[in-house]
Amino acid sequence: MNTEINREGSVGKSKEGGNPLAENLSQSKSSEEKPAHHSLTYGTSRLAPPIRLVDRAKEIELAEESVQLHVHGKMEVIAKQIRALKAEAEILLQNAQKDIELHKVKCHFEKKAGQALHLYEKKEGNYFSLLSPAEWGGSPPHRFVASYIMNPDRSFTEVTEDKETF
């Protein structure tokens, strides 16, 4: 076997009786047919095929497109998160406004956390009562609006009939 250096600069062995020069020529023709994508602007060995400016420009264009797609995808995710946060903030502000309005409702007793409060409506305005419509014998003196429980953070949670535990 004979030792030879191929076009890429690596050392290989040729078969006995084979022509190392002919093998090198066939290898160089096959490597010239398919342009390789390189990240360097110069060959890695003096026997490497030259990197043409057109190949380099195509590689840069491909990289730019890839980066733009990646950034666009991340920006879409961020935009979706912003929309979700905006919706959550709007709900939070609506709940805060509702809680402020409920704290302004007329009440002749001290409101305590965990306590059930029943909102009634009359001509002079709304008021809270400790008595539920059932405790009025089914006919409260004014129109029943809703029942609430005051939370420890002083916010209110509306209680529906199926959740009533008071």
Side-chain angles (χ1 to χ4, degrees):
M1 285 197 167
N2 295 329
T3 304
E4 65 178 38
I5 299 176
N6 61 21
R7 185 169 174 93
E8 288 78 29
S10 62
V11 177
K13 297 191 181 202
S14 65
K15 296 178 184 173
E16 284 187 34
N19 186 350
L21 185 56
E23 290 176 15
N24 262 348
L25 286 174
S26 68
Q27 287 177 355
S28 68
K29 283 184 181 177
S30 66
S31 67
E32 288 176 8
E33 292 170 3
K34 297 178 184 174
H37 290 288
H38 299 282
S39 60
L40 301 174
T41 57
Y42 52 87
T44 56
S45 77
R46 71 183 172 95
L47 297 175
I51 299 172
R52 298 186 315 224
L53 186 58
V54 174
D55 294 337
R56 186 70 176 145
K58 286 180 183 177
E59 183 180 334
I60 291 171
E61 184 179 345
L62 179 67
E64 285 178 0
E65 288 175 5
S66 177
V67 168
Q68 287 175 353
L69 285 173
H70 182 70
V71 168
H72 179 71
K74 284 189 172 185
M75 292 300 285
E76 284 293 322
V77 169
I78 291 170
K80 186 177 179 182
Q81 290 172 343
I82 288 171
R83 286 189 291 271
L85 287 172
K86 180 183 177 205
E88 190 175 334
E90 287 172 352
I91 291 170
L92 180 70
L93 289 173
Q94 289 171 355
N95 289 341
Q97 185 63 36
K98 177 196 66 141
D99 291 341
I100 290 170
E101 292 299 319
L102 289 173
H103 277 289
K104 292 178 181 178
V105 169
K106 187 176 183 180
C107 184
H108 293 292
F109 53 88
E110 182 181 347
K111 294 178 264 191
K112 296 180 183 175
Q115 186 177 47
L117 306 169
H118 308 281
L119 184 63
Y120 293 93
E121 178 182 46
K122 63 180 183 176
K123 291 180 183 177
E124 296 82 32
N126 294 347
Y127 67 94
F128 275 124
S129 172
L130 293 174
L131 299 176
S132 70
E135 292 173 321
W136 284 101
S139 60
H142 301 101
R143 189 180 79 78
F144 173 74
V145 177
S147 293
Y148 297 94
I149 292 181
M150 191 170 79
N151 301 315
D153 64 354
R154 311 225 9 114
S155 65
F156 290 94
T157 302
E158 187 170 353
V159 180
T160 57
E161 283 100 38
D162 58 318
K163 290 184 183 176
E164 280 191 39
T165 56
F166 26 81

